[in-house]
Structure formats: structure tokens, C-alpha cells
Amino acid sequence: MSYLLGAYLPGDSLLHRAPAGAKLLGLLVFSTLLVVLHGLVATGVLFGIAVVVTLIARLPMRQVGRAARGVLLIALVLSALQGYAHGWPRAVEAGVDLLSLALGGLILTATTEVNAMLDLFTRLITPLKPIGVDPDGVALVIGLAITSIPASIALLLETRDAARARGIRHPRAYLSPFVIRVVARAHETGDALKARGLGD
């Protein structure tokens, strides 16, 4: 899988060996700093930290770039809106902060196995069990959400490439088949869960 969002990339870096809880806490602190601290200097420092941590995790830069392309487009749009309303310093700050946050999320998912994340969420939610919250059920939903994102991206790319191979380049030529395949995948997942007695 060439997209890091929700896809674990095996490795032996310091980040790969760190506990999932520590990494999640680090992402929480980092995200809070992005919200609390303002100014181009703070923005640049935090972005630099995100880049350094990415290097420490030894993630393939080509894959990081591919995963960040969609976020970059959103960052450009956000920066344009902020620049129009508040000036270019605010525009740069908003765009770079979004990229820094995206890098933080990519680092977490790329260096943490899904099972480790699910175990962490289960432990965090267990105290809510007395009020009717099912920790295993919530963890299952989170796990399905995490794994469905890269799977859906893969289906989109496969459908697009198939349409282009037939000489069709208009988006409508592959969006409809893509939606049909995603719905079919969802039904298959639901049937598999039911077969295992996990309910509707």
C-alpha cells in the first residue's frame, strides 16, 4: 500500500518500538501546541519537529509525499481563504499547521500496528463499560474505519486505472463503478461480521 493513512509500514525505528499509548499522547500534545501557539516562528518550529520525527521513523519519503498530496491540496485552499480574510502570514500559518498535523497522524498510523491501536482504544474505553459502552465493539468500529480508508483508496485507483485502460478519462466513468465496489465491500464485511456472531 503506497498510502500511509491507516496503513502500517513495518520497521525497527525508535518510533516503531515505542508504545502506542506514548505515540498517541505525543500526537495529542503536538496537536494542542499547533492550536495554542501562533506565529510563523512557532509554526516553522513545529513543522520542523514533524519532519525530524518523520526522518527518525525512517518512513519512505516517496510514500509520505504521496500520502500528503491530498492534504496539500486542502492546505492550499485553506491558505487561500485565510490569506483573503486575514493576510498572508495567517495563510502560511494555517497551511503549514495543517501539513504538520497530517504528518503527525501519518507517523502514528505508519509506525503503529492496527492491533496495538485497537488494544489501546479498548483499554481507554474499558472504564466506560459500567455505563453501557462496549469496549470491544467500539474498538472494532475504529479498526474497520482505519483499515477501510486505504482499502477504499486502492479500489478508487484500481477503478480509475481500469477506465483509463479503456481510453475513458472522464471521472463519471469510474466514480459509479467505484461506489458500487465500495458498497459491495461493505456488504461483504457486514456478512463476515454476522457470520462471526458480532451482530448487525
Side-chain angles (χ1 to χ4, degrees):
M1 182 64 63
S2 60
Y3 291 84
L4 294 178
L5 186 58
Y8 171 70
L9 297 178
D12 60 353
S13 71
L14 178 64
L15 270 296
H16 284 84
R17 297 193 300 269
K23 287 183 281 190
L24 186 61
L25 178 61
L27 180 59
L28 178 61
V29 172
F30 184 72
S31 303
T32 302
L33 291 175
L34 284 173
V35 174
V36 172
L37 300 179
H38 298 286
L40 293 179
V41 174
T43 295
V45 170
L46 291 172
F47 180 72
I49 291 173
V51 172
V52 169
V53 175
T54 303
L55 295 175
I56 293 174
R58 298 204 290 265
L59 300 180
M61 289 297 105
R62 178 178 296 180
Q63 290 179 302
V64 172
R66 288 178 180 175
R69 279 189 302 189
V71 179
L72 180 60
L73 178 60
I74 298 174
L76 290 175
V77 174
L78 177 62
S79 295
L81 294 175
Q82 290 290 329
Y84 177 78
H86 304 289
W88 74 266
R90 186 73 174 271
V92 173
E93 182 180 343
V96 175
D97 280 350
L98 181 58
L99 288 176
S100 299
L101 183 61
L103 270 180
L106 293 175
I107 292 166
L108 175 65
T109 56
T111 62
T112 310
E113 293 184 1
V114 174
N115 287 339
M117 288 295 295
L118 296 184
D119 290 341
L120 173 62
F121 288 133
T122 300
R123 292 196 302 271
L124 293 175
I125 299 169
T126 297
L128 301 178
K129 196 171 184 179
I131 62 174
V133 177
D134 179 13
D136 293 330
V138 174
L140 176 63
V141 171
I142 294 174
L144 289 174
I146 291 174
T147 56
S148 66
I149 294 173
S152 297
I153 293 175
L155 283 178
L156 176 61
L157 295 178
E158 289 173 7
T159 307
R160 183 200 63 185
D161 292 342
R164 288 182 175 179
R166 297 193 301 271
I168 305 172
R169 300 215 171 245
H170 198 283
R172 283 183 296 185
Y174 57 83
L175 286 180
S176 294
F178 166 67
V179 172
I180 293 172
R181 294 182 69 183
V182 169
V183 172
R185 174 72 64 85
H187 282 298
E188 291 174 0
T189 302
D191 291 341
L193 292 176
K194 288 181 182 179
R196 289 163 175 77
L198 295 177
D200 296 329

